[in-house]
Amino acid sequence: PRSVGASSADYSHEPSGPGPGHPPVRCPRGAVALRVGDCIATLFDDGGVESVPVVPCSEPHEGEVFAVVEVSLDSFPGREEMSDLAETRCIGRLFEDDVGVSYDDSVYLATSLSPTKETWDGLDDREITCIAASPGVPLTESIRGTKRETPLR
């Protein structure tokens, strides 16, 4: 998994369409405002992330938030330590509980959004957002409970 920092608190509304027969509206949501079950249209590059394009899970997307984990430390541990903490939290039991198979056996990858020193201090950001990812292979449903394993396992 890779860990990148959120750098904005742009809270937005739920994604929704304007009505029957109209396409859903992409809703950019501030990276620190993502919630479990949010589907992400396109994944992000390493570096600061200010907003993420959230879409209904029935629309093509590359990732889904499967956990938001509170970091209960008194001070920012450093970028590398935060990345290690995110990896430990996001590829263990939380991944398996949501997807239905272990991270090692799953077709999905895991990535995360983690606090940076700037968001820790400036936004009181204390959450690691874990995301199951399917880069390059768009999904059109939730990953929750899909139990999709890699071939030959």
Side-chain angles (χ1 to χ4, degrees), residues 26-148:
R26 289 178 181 252
C27 173
R29 183 166 298 150
V32 295
L34 290 168
R35 297 185 294 253
V36 172
D38 281 347
C39 288
I40 299 167
T42 54
L43 295 177
F44 35 82
D45 294 325
D46 286 341
V49 175
E50 291 186 15
S51 66
V52 177
V54 175
V55 296
C57 292
S58 59
E59 295 298 314
H61 59 280
E62 292 184 347
E64 181 177 338
V65 176
F66 67 88
V68 178
V69 180
E70 186 75 22
V71 178
S72 56
L73 299 172
D74 293 330
S75 61
F76 186 74
R79 185 175 180 173
E80 187 172 324
E81 292 83 0
M82 185 63 73
S83 179
D84 291 345
L85 180 61
E87 182 174 340
T88 300
R89 299 280 176 91
C90 293
I91 65 170
R93 183 186 53 80
L94 293 173
F95 184 93
E96 187 170 347
D97 287 352
D98 197 74
V99 176
V101 295
S102 73
Y103 177 77
D104 290 336
D105 292 335
S106 176
V107 297
Y108 303 116
L109 303 176
T111 189
S112 63
L113 291 167
S114 302
T116 63
K117 175 73 170 143
E118 293 76 21
T119 62
W120 184 278
D121 292 340
L123 300 174
D124 200 30
D125 182 12
R126 302 290 189 274
E127 294 179 336
I128 295 170
T129 302
C130 302
I131 301 163
S134 180
V137 182
L139 304 167
T140 55
E141 64 183 359
S142 173
I143 55 93
R144 181 165 277 157
T146 56
K147 300 181 182 177
R148 291 208 175 98

